[in-house]
Amino acid sequence: MDFDGGLKMLKYRNLQFANATKFNDPFDCHPALFDYSNPPVNERNWPPADFLSMKGNNDMTNFRNSTWICCLSRTYDSLLMWAYYTGHKGMCIGLDEESVLDSLHYKFIGSTRPHAEEVEYEDIQQKPDYFINKKHTFGVNLLTRKSKEWSHEQEVRLITQEPMWVHSGQAVPKELEKKEPIDWKEIRHYPAIRRKCFKALYLGVKMSQENKNKIIEVAKSINNDIEIYQMTLDTDAFKLKEEPVRI
């Protein structure tokens, strides 16, 4: 992430959850990834087949609307991700997955406890049949399938349904105070996680020395055992490599 975003994440020791409808990939979590055209044949056509098809689509749309996701990655050295997320001036923050989930289960309340899922990348040749592939009905497949164009991200998603804050009457963020009516899907949620969740810090190739000093100080104040690395150029392979920063 960029410097400002990374600094805030470290200072407030939190993660960002966004609604599944708000991602930049228009195919992401989209109900159209399923085939609703083959409903079961019922006696006397009741409920009617077209009703079942419509209901299946609506169920998946509602499921998507009620899902909040935190997007993470298994990789820290992707040239593409460093370029379009940070311009190589930001950072990558390494988290301990088990500690993160423990923290979220303790603090984060919703219809389902946050859980981690690996994203699968594919060129869709055939849509899953909504009525046959019942294991997909409640969303793992809906929420974790993306085009191979995104495979370099090696994404891992923390997923929860209907976080309690959406309906809890908490104070509305200032940027939404004047909006009527409030679109709850626009609101991000930032649950805090424990200090021990922060395992590593990778500094961008182009990060200024001033920003390096500032971010290292903040990172060390959170977890003195955090591992800090400087990303450098491996000119023999068109790759990034990390070198430990000695404090």
Side-chain angles (χ1 to χ4, degrees):
M1 59 186 67
D2 64 22
F3 177 80
D4 290 337
L7 182 63
K8 288 178 181 177
M9 179 176 173
L10 289 171
K11 277 188 172 181
Y12 296 107
R13 303 195 306 276
N14 60 19
L15 298 175
Q16 175 180 269
F17 280 75
N19 186 261
T21 63
K22 300 301 180 180
F23 297 139
N24 56 358
D25 177 4
F27 288 99
D28 212 334
C29 306
H30 202 290
L33 297 178
F34 286 86
D35 180 4
Y36 307 96
S37 64
N38 299 297
V41 178
N42 298 315
E43 185 178 359
R44 298 180 182 178
N45 192 33
W46 188 261
D50 57 350
F51 168 80
L52 292 176
S53 294
M54 179 180 66
K55 181 180 183 302
N57 192 310
N58 287 343
D59 286 348
M60 296 308 278
T61 298
N62 291 335
F63 182 83
R64 182 195 193 198
N65 289 340
S66 65
T67 298
W68 266 255
I69 296 173
C70 176
C71 301
L72 306 173
S73 173
R74 292 286 185 205
T75 185
Y76 60 87
D77 58 359
S78 166
L79 271 172
L80 287 175
M81 294 176 73
W82 275 101
Y84 58 69
Y85 283 126
T86 84
H88 293 277
K89 297 178 181 179
M91 71 200 73
C92 177
I93 298 173
L95 302 172
D96 182 273
E97 183 175 336
E98 184 177 352
S99 296
V100 167
L101 287 172
D102 284 344
S103 291
L104 292 178
H105 291 172
Y106 176 72
K107 291 256 188 177
F108 197 75
I109 301 174
S111 296
T112 60
R113 299 175 77 185
H115 61 282
E117 295 286 351
E118 302 271 354
V119 171
E120 296 182 4
Y121 303 95
E122 58 188 48
D123 291 326
I124 299 174
Q125 302 296 326
Q126 183 175 357
K127 297 179 182 181
D129 188 318
Y130 174 84
F131 298 99
I132 293 177
N133 296 276
K134 287 299 183 183
K135 66 179 180 179
H136 301 313
T137 300
F138 295 107
V140 170
N141 192 268
L142 178 78
L143 303 175
T144 60
R145 274 199 307 160
K146 295 184 71 172
S147 164
K148 284 185 178 179
E149 299 287 341
W150 298 96
S151 61
H152 61 279
E153 293 200 334
Q154 300 181 40
E155 188 177 347
V156 178
R157 293 185 159 182
L158 305 180
I159 301 170
T160 189
Q161 305 300 134
E162 294 186 329
M164 195 66 71
W165 59 273
V166 173
H167 308 293
S168 67
Q170 289 185 8
V172 177
K174 289 183 178 180
E175 63 270 21
L176 295 178
E177 282 181 350
K178 297 181 180 180
K179 285 190 175 181
E180 290 292 345
I182 295 171
D183 181 359
W184 289 107
K185 296 194 294 296
E186 289 286 356
I187 300 176
R188 289 357 183 211
H189 183 47
Y190 297 89
I193 55 178
R194 299 185 181 110
R195 294 174 183 269
K196 66 179 181 179
C197 296
F198 295 90
K199 184 177 181 181
L201 176 65
Y202 302 86
L203 308 176
V205 171
K206 297 181 180 180
M207 181 183 283
S208 70
Q209 189 60 51
E210 179 183 358
N211 283 348
K212 287 179 188 179
N213 295 339
K214 184 182 297 186
I215 207 70
I216 288 173
E217 181 181 0
V218 173
K220 282 293 186 180
S221 71
I222 294 170
N223 180 0
N224 195 50
D225 294 324
I226 193 170
E227 300 170 0
I228 301 177
Y229 300 93
Q230 174 64 61
M231 301 306 293
T232 62
L233 302 181
D234 183 347
T235 55
D236 294 324
F238 282 114
K239 291 171 59 178
L240 295 175
K241 59 182 180 181
E242 75 278 11
E243 295 182 355
V245 174
R246 307 300 179 189
I247 306 300

